[in-house]
């Protein structure tokens, strides 16, 4: 069953809450018996969303709104936004004004990667999830939160294993299938996701493939259109690792399971989300660039493909520094710009093919 | 058309002195800081660190129409051409060492706050990385209506951290008494600014939008200094004089409009041009950001917390509910006949709620609105005649509706 069909089905037995970036602390949702889902882009052309958001809004963000306006996300009991970027902020304002889900919440998120934000963010999480508790008639306590933390950690552990197998040449699946699995971790129930990982581990345990020549690392913020990965497969690339918000930046770092009180656990969650590998909308973002370089080096990738969604401000600045760093490290890279629908598909294909020839040879 | 204020002459001197002073501080090796408009310059004046506002410099690039060429230089270095035109102009100017005032000195430190946009944080980061400038980010999470509870506590802590940062990086100490004196001066000017904004509610309006946008400068960069108070007094008195002498930019107003968003810095004359048709922008939302609603009188007994409150509840750090409230208040107080939304492609936090605000106005008030597309700082693609025609047609429609 596809992603939306699956979620509509799940919504019959459990309240589903939608989030839009990977700073959302999903542990709280699981602790309350809710099913958290990262809303992904689809191929809807913006029509209704154009009434609410101008042409210079990031198309990815606009697409999320389009889906809601077209009532495709009616299975959501709540939508919870964080302060992420200025385009998603615009989506949030419209979502709230147009009442696109029964509950619309906003986490007044900190923007800095500094431990000093921990106490503030812990209090903010408490406030927001207290309101969610009341609105949706659910609750969480020390035990349920501890259990949820360990569950999400298990999911991240399984994802980390998938990534290491990929790097070691032990996961002989296409990039499209790899990312289909990775992205499903943000919408499938955890147990189901873990089961599908187990099956993959078993199937591929003895495989040893050598994709050395074709290995590249992908860098982006939001990039969940599987057609893009399919295109990379068709050209011949092997995406060995990434620096994507819902890829390695989602997978790395666990929430500490230590602590005797509910407050301890909440602080652990706050700390993980503040200190996790940062997106360019957070500051400082150095860890992101450092780890991108590390991914390239440890995976033996031949180059980097940097994908920027048009009108994404933070990536529009960050790229200048990623470019410099890659040039200093003598790592070949390709900058491409598009939208979630890949509307310049042919041009992308030509440029990617040329890059393939450059790094792999014909 | 375009009746000039006498205060504009003294403003030019003020701006020149400010830039001269920045250059000489930098030359003498005295500490300087780049701040975004949300950061209180009062703290920096109190600590003998010269506060410089790149957004103001960006507006100067816009007014002198040099943004497109500076942007190209930034683009060449990998900065994309769809980010805020202030940032493009500033980065391009730094990289090329060119611009309206020549080579801009690199500051000793930078401080910015996230209370307007995410863009600005990455812009400051660019300068930090390009020129190794120690940079502090005042984390100001977006609020709904205003800063309160743990949010306000956090804002206060962030400002205290900022002071520690300034002390550490410049060696200059924070002196509470000196700060209190500066806060008093700042408050005096804020009262005058509030009066100036109120005087614009007079019918006819004594000051057009081009002038108020130009005269924002002391509110942005000079708060807490004696010339700022002097200038605002002069301006306030001149407006009062205009009202007494019935000497108005548009004596027979046909349509009183509200402007939403930053001005089009490269075409402030647009407002003069419209005067001949009896069209005047009597109020705008932009200069409100420095007005009593969003940057009010600081509590002299507890100034840091009070600054924290205004910083946390800054104009672009609140949500649509507060923008809508402001819109309704201004429409009423200024007897506004219509609202013009400048949809500024550079400024997402300001612009992306405009269609929804326009819908709220349409559904709840009997005031029409118009959305025009442009950029506040980059004239590429700007069609002046079309903008004028659209505002004229809009105004005619309002007049017709009255008949
Ligand atoms: S791609 Fe950039 S602008 Fe678009 S939603 Fe993601 S962070 Fe925001
Ligand atoms: S995006 Fe808007 S708020 Fe941010 S720097 Fe540009 S003009 Fe200012």
């Amino acid at each position: 069953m596809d992603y939306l069909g699956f979620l509509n089905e799940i919504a019959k037995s459990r309240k589903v809450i939608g989030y839009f970036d990977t700073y959302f602390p999903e542990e709280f949702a699981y602790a309350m018996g809710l099913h958290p889902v990262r809303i992904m882009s689809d191929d809807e052309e913006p029509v209704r969303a154009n009434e609410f958001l101008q042409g210079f809004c990031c198309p990815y963000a606009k697409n999320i709104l389009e889906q809601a306006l077209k009532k495709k996300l009616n299975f959501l009991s709540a939508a919870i936004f964080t302060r992420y970027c200025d385009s998603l902020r615009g989506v949030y304002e419209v979502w709230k004004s147009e009442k696109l889900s029964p509950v619309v919440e906003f986490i007044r998120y900190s923007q800095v990667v500094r431990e000093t934000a921990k106490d503030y963010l812990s209090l903010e999480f408490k406030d927001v999830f207290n309101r969610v508790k009341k609105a949706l008639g659910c609750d969480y306590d020390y035990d349920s939160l501890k259990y949820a933390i360990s569950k999400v950690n298990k999911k991240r552990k399984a994802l980390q294993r998938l990534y290491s197998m990929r790097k070691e040449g032990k996961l002989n699946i296409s990039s499209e299938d790899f990312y289909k699995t990775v992205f499903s971790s943000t919408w499938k129930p955890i147990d189901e996701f873990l089961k599908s990982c187990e099956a993959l581990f078993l199937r591929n345990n003895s495989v040893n493939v050598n994709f050395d020549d074709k290995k590249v690392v992908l860098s982006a913020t939001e990039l969940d259109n599987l057609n893009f990965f399919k295109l990379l497969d068709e050209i011949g690339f092997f995406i060995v690792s990434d620096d994507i918000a819902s890829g390695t930046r989602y997978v790395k770092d666990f929430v500490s399971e230590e602590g005797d009180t509910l407050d301890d656990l909440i602080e652990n969650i706050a700390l993980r989300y503040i200190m996790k590998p940062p997106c360019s909308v957070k500051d400082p973002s150095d860890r992101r660039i450092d780890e991108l370089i590390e991914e390239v080096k440890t995976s033996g990738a031949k180059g980097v493909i940097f994908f920027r969604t048009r009108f994404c401000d933070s990536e529009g600045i960050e790229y200048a520094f990623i470019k410099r760093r890659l040039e200093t490290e003598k790592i070949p890279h390709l900058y491409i710009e598009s939208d979630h629908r890949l509307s310049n598909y042919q041009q992308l294909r030509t440029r990617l093919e040329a890059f393939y020839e450059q790094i792999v040879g014909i | 058309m375009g009746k000039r204020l006498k205060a504009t002459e003294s403003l030019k001197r003020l701006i020149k002195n400010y830039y001269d002073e920045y250059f000489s501080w930098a030359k003498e090796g005295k500490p300087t800081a780049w701040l975004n408009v949300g950061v209180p310059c009062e703290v920096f004046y109190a600590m003998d660190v010269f506060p410089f506002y790149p957004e103001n410099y960006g507006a100067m690039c816009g007014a002198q129409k040099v943004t497109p060429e500076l942007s190209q230089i930034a683009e060449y270095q990998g900065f994309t051409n769809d980010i805020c035109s202030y940032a493009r102009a500033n980065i391009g100017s730094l990289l090329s060492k060119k611009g309206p005032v020549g080579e801009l000195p690199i500051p000793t430190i930078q401080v910015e706050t996230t209370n307007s946009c995410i863009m600005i944080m990455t812009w400051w980061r660019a300068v930090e990385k390009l020129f190794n400038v120690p940079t502090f980010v005042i984390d100001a999470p977006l609020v709904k209506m205003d800063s309160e509870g743990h949010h306000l506590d956090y804002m206060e802590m962030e400002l205290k951290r900022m002071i520690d940062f300034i002390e550490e990086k410049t060696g200059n100490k924070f002196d509470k008494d000196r700060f209190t004196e500066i806060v008093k001066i700042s408050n005096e000017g804020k009262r005058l600014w509030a009066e100036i904004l109120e005087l614009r509610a007079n019918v006819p309006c004594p000051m057009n939008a081009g002038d108020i946008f130009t005269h924002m400068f002391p509110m942005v960069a000079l708060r807490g200094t004696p010339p700022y108070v002097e200038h605002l007094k002069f301006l306030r008195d001149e407006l009062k004089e205009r009202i007494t002498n019935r000497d108005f930019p548009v004596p027979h107003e046909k349509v009183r409009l509200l402007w939403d968003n930053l001005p089009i810095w490269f075409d402030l004359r647009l407002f003069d041009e419209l005067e001949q048709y009896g069209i005047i922008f009597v109020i705008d939302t932009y200069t409100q950001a420095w007005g009593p609603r969003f940057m009010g009188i600081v509590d002299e007994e507890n100034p840091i917390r009070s600054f924290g409150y205004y910083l946390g509840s800054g104009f672009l750090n609140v949500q649509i509910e507060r923008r809508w409230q402001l819109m309704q208040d201004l429409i009423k107080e200024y007897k506004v006949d219509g609202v013009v939304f400048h949809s500024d492609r550079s400024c997402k936090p300001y612009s992306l709620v405009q269609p929804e605000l326009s819908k709220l106005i349409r559904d709840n008030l009997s005031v029409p609105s118009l959305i025009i597309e442009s950029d506040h700082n980059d004239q590429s693609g700007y069609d002046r005649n079309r903008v004028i025609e659209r505002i004229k047609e809009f105004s005619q429609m309002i007049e017709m509706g009255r008949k």
Side-chain angles (χ1 to χ4, degrees):
Chain A
M1 204 183 293
D2 73 332
Y3 148 83
L4 284 186
F6 187 88
L7 293 173
N8 272 298
E9 208 41 51
I10 273 218
K12 289 179 187 160
S13 58
R14 230 176 301 173
K15 287 188 173 126
V16 179
I17 59 174
Y19 64 92
F20 307 89
D21 65 76
T22 50
Y23 281 84
F24 173 75
E26 59 189 288
E27 289 81 355
F28 286 97
Y30 286 117
M32 290 191 274
L34 306 167
H35 183 64
V37 166
R38 185 176 74 87
I39 303 301
M40 302 209 289
S41 70
D42 70 5
D43 54 7
E44 282 285 357
E45 204 176 328
V47 179
R48 292 226 42 216
N50 289 340
E51 288 169 36
F52 297 95
L53 297 171
Q54 295 95 318
F56 46 81
C57 175
C58 152
Y60 180 94
K62 210 181 208 182
N63 170 267
I64 303 287
L65 181 65
E66 184 71 25
Q67 293 182 51
L69 288 165
K70 288 211 174 113
K71 303 191 187 307
K72 286 177 148 186
L73 306 178
N74 277 7
F75 57 84
L76 292 177
S77 292
I80 307 189
F81 291 80
T82 79
R83 170 97 189 259
Y84 190 66
C85 65
D86 295 327
S87 282
L88 275 174
R89 172 181 173 179
V91 171
Y92 158 66
E93 296 278 27
V94 178
W95 199 294
K96 176 177 56 174
S97 303
E98 298 297 314
K99 302 185 178 57
L100 296 177
S101 49
V103 175
V104 188
E105 264 299 344
F106 182 79
I107 306 176
R108 300 180 300 184
Y109 230 101
S110 52
Q111 224 67 31
V112 293
V113 186
R114 279 202 302 249
E115 285 191 22
T116 50
K118 186 187 75 183
D119 293 348
Y120 164 76
L121 196 61
S122 304
L123 291 168
E124 185 63 16
F125 283 165
K126 277 192 212 168
D127 268 14
V128 170
F129 291 104
N130 273 340
R131 291 196 296 271
V132 172
K133 262 163 44 174
K134 279 191 197 131
L136 297 183
C138 48
D139 207 351
Y140 68 91
D141 58 18
Y142 175 83
D143 291 330
S144 66
L145 193 58
K146 194 167 166 102
Y147 183 68
I149 290 172
S150 93
K151 268 300 226 248
V152 176
N153 281 348
K154 276 196 189 113
K155 172 166 79 168
R156 293 207 163 97
K157 212 172 194 166
L159 282 159
Q160 289 182 4
R161 186 158 168 216
L162 281 180
Y163 273 94
S164 344
M165 285 174 74
R166 185 104 179 135
K167 272 196 204 166
E168 289 160 10
K170 286 193 176 142
L171 205 52
N172 185 18
I173 56 173
S174 66
S175 298
E176 185 189 0
D177 285 340
F178 181 73
Y179 282 94
K180 203 184 216 171
T181 310
V182 170
F183 298 152
S184 73
S185 69
T186 59
W187 57 268
K188 270 190 183 171
I190 295 182
D191 285 335
E192 224 167 289
F193 173 73
L194 291 176
K195 246 189 244 161
S196 58
C197 285
E198 273 312 317
L200 261 181
F201 297 151
L202 281 176
R203 263 205 313 277
N204 289 279
N205 216 3
S206 53
V207 179
N208 234 325
V209 281
N210 185 352
F211 283 111
D212 276 359
D213 289 350
K214 299 162 182 188
K215 282 183 189 167
V216 283
V217 173
L218 191 62
S219 176
T221 285
E222 312 295 350
L223 180 51
D224 53 22
N225 184 341
L226 290 171
N227 286 328
F228 182 70
F229 297 93
K230 195 172 167 192
L231 171 64
L232 296 174
D233 285 330
E234 281 168 14
I235 293 171
F237 288 113
F238 182 84
I239 306 300
V240 64
S241 186
D242 67 64
D243 152 48
I244 309 181
S246 44
T248 56
R249 299 211 292 271
Y250 171 71
V251 168
K252 287 176 187 171
D253 292 9
F254 300 107
V255 174
S256 161
E257 293 173 34
E258 303 293 311
D260 300 328
T261 65
L262 183 60
D263 283 352
D264 291 341
L265 298 181
I266 295 174
E267 283 180 16
N268 294 349
I269 297 175
L271 194 61
R272 187 265 166 191
Y273 283 90
I274 292 167
M275 302 309 290
K276 79 176 205 64
C279 291
S280 49
V281 293
K282 303 285 169 175
D283 194 272
S285 61
D286 299 343
R287 180 176 168 192
R288 180 218 175 159
I289 305 187
D290 291 345
E291 291 188 359
L292 166 64
I293 302 296
E294 199 185 298
E295 288 298 331
V296 176
K297 290 188 174 163
T298 55
S299 66
K302 296 276 176 206
V304 169
I305 296 170
F306 184 90
F307 179 102
R308 172 176 177 257
T309 305
R310 261 198 291 278
F311 302 115
C312 177
D313 292 331
S314 55
E315 292 288 274
I317 290 223
E318 197 77 341
Y319 169 65
F321 295 99
I322 290 185
K323 175 177 182 273
R324 279 174 175 234
R325 187 69 187 277
L326 290 170
E327 283 168 0
T328 313
E329 303 277 350
K330 300 200 174 16
I331 299 168
H333 81 280
L334 174 73
Y335 171 86
I336 49 177
E337 198 176 275
S338 188
D339 52 41
H340 59 286
R341 298 168 59 230
L342 313 176
S343 45
N344 54 345
Y345 187 85
Q346 266 322 319
Q347 187 214 19
L348 286 179
R349 184 174 196 112
T350 312
R351 296 197 54 221
L352 284 162
E353 281 170 349
F355 185 58
Y356 184 81
E357 281 176 24
Q358 181 198 329
I359 61 166
V360 177
I362 308 165
Chain B
M1 186 179 80
K3 190 188 287 282
R4 287 275 76 92
L5 286 159
K6 281 180 271 180
T8 304
E9 280 313 306
S10 66
L11 178 71
K12 279 185 194 157
R13 280 196 299 277
L14 221 55
I15 297 175
K16 187 179 178 308
N17 291 346
Y18 172 80
Y19 274 83
D20 285 350
E21 214 179 325
Y22 174 52
F23 274 77
S24 68
W25 274 57
K27 204 169 163 192
E28 289 164 29
K30 295 202 282 194
T32 58
W34 279 14
L35 316 178
N36 76 311
V37 294
V39 182
C41 58
E42 291 88 341
V43 178
F44 294 79
Y45 281 120
M47 295 180 76
D48 278 325
V49 178
F50 191 90
F52 184 81
Y53 286 93
E55 286 146 292
N56 171 263
Y57 173 77
M60 192 187 260
C61 296
Q64 300 201 8
K65 298 193 171 70
V66 292
T67 300
E69 62 186 87
L70 295 173
S71 293
Q72 272 188 3
I73 296 158
E75 267 175 65
Y76 188 69
Q77 296 287 331
F79 298 93
T80 60
N81 67 0
D82 52 9
I83 58 172
C84 172
S85 47
Y86 270 166
R88 284 186 275 130
N90 182 255
I91 294 169
S93 165
L94 290 174
L95 290 170
S96 62
K97 303 189 190 327
K98 284 183 193 147
V101 289
E103 184 180 346
L104 208 54
I106 302 298
T108 320
I109 54 171
Q110 291 194 112
V111 178
E112 74 89 24
T113 169
T114 56
N115 84 344
S116 53
C117 63
I118 301 301
M119 176 67 242
I120 212 139
M121 187 178 74
T122 56
W123 167 9
W124 257 242
R125 188 189 298 161
V127 176
E128 173 187 15
K129 289 193 175 183
L130 286 169
F131 301 97
N132 290 320
V133 187
T135 299
F136 183 80
V137 176
I138 305 171
D139 189 21
L142 180 74
V143 299
K144 188 176 258 180
M145 297 298 276
D146 54 16
S147 177
E148 31 64 48
H150 62 264
H151 188 280
L152 181 54
D153 296 339
Y154 185 54
M155 293 317 310
E156 185 180 359
M157 262 167 48
E158 284 292 281
L159 282 178
K160 287 182 177 158
R161 274 189 206 115
M162 174 193 80
I163 293 171
D164 292 345
F165 167 84
I166 307 169
E167 288 189 338
E168 187 201 320
K169 299 294 172 192
T170 67
N172 290 6
K173 291 284 163 235
F174 179 77
D175 179 314
K176 200 166 169 279
D177 294 338
R178 178 135 189 251
F179 181 55
T180 310
E181 280 317 301
I182 284 176
V183 168
K184 278 186 184 148
I185 301 173
S186 171
N187 279 342
E188 201 183 336
K190 283 179 179 171
R191 288 190 188 93
L192 290 162
W193 184 248
E195 270 191 72
I196 290 165
L197 294 178
E198 268 174 37
L199 286 169
R200 292 189 75 213
N202 190 73
V203 183
C205 174
M207 184 187 203
N208 89 4
D211 280 330
I212 194 81
F213 288 135
T214 316
H215 281 271
M216 266 171 48
F217 171 78
M219 280 311 291
V220 173
L222 301 178
R223 291 189 316 272
T225 66
Y228 137 92
V229 174
E230 256 168 58
H231 178 79
L232 292 173
K233 254 189 206 148
F234 188 60
L235 177 62
R236 189 253 341 244
D237 292 346
E238 193 178 358
L239 295 187
K240 280 187 169 174
E241 212 177 282
R242 275 189 170 184
I243 293 172
T244 313
N245 299 339
R246 302 203 55 76
D247 177 16
F248 301 109
V250 182
H252 305 290
E253 292 175 348
K254 288 188 180 160
V255 180
R256 293 167 63 86
L257 300 178
L258 181 154
W259 178 272
D260 183 63
N261 217 325
L262 281 85
I264 299 172
W265 288 115
F266 51 86
D267 192 13
L268 287 181
R269 295 197 72 83
L270 170 74
F271 301 108
D272 296 345
E273 182 98 11
L274 290 164
E275 288 178 355
Q276 60 184 305
Y277 308 106
I279 303 168
I280 181 152
F281 282 86
V282 295
I283 193 63
D284 62 273
T285 51
Y286 188 49
T287 51
Q288 291 291 317
W290 290 264
R293 288 179 172 89
F294 295 96
M295 203 186 268
I297 300 300
V298 165
D299 176 0
E300 288 162 21
E301 297 300 315
N302 201 355
I304 297 295
R305 191 164 178 87
S306 191
F307 272 113
Y309 171 77
Y310 290 118
L311 198 148
S313 324
F315 177 72
L316 285 182
N317 210 39
V318 294
Q319 298 178 18
I320 192 166
E321 292 84 349
R322 184 116 186 249
R323 294 268 298 271
W324 170 225
Q325 187 58 55
L326 174 70
M327 197 62 87
Q328 296 175 83
D329 292 348
L330 295 181
I331 289 173
K332 205 165 141 203
E333 285 165 27
Y334 289 80
K335 299 182 182 63
V336 166
D337 300 313
V339 174
V340 174
F341 289 100
H342 164 213
S343 167
D344 177 355
R345 66 174 178 266
S346 268
C347 189
K348 292 183 177 79
Y350 215 136
S351 306
L352 289 182
V353 288
Q354 288 175 322
E356 189 66 45
L357 281 171
S358 150
K359 193 166 166 255
L360 282 168
I361 292 178
R362 189 187 65 212
D363 295 347
N364 296 287
L365 307 172
S366 52
V367 174
S369 64
L370 168 75
I371 299 184
I372 55 164
E373 303 277 342
S374 183
D375 187 283
H376 66 273
N377 217 39
D378 183 341
Q379 71 272 23
S380 319
Y382 178 62
D383 184 345
R384 181 169 209 257
N385 290 338
R386 182 158 160 71
V387 169
I388 291 177
E389 277 316 308
R390 290 198 65 207
I391 297 177
K392 271 169 65 183
E393 278 166 19
F394 176 64
S395 302
Q396 278 160 5
M397 188 199 80
I398 293 173
E399 280 195 90
M400 301 258 290
R402 271 194 212 125
K403 283 175 190 162

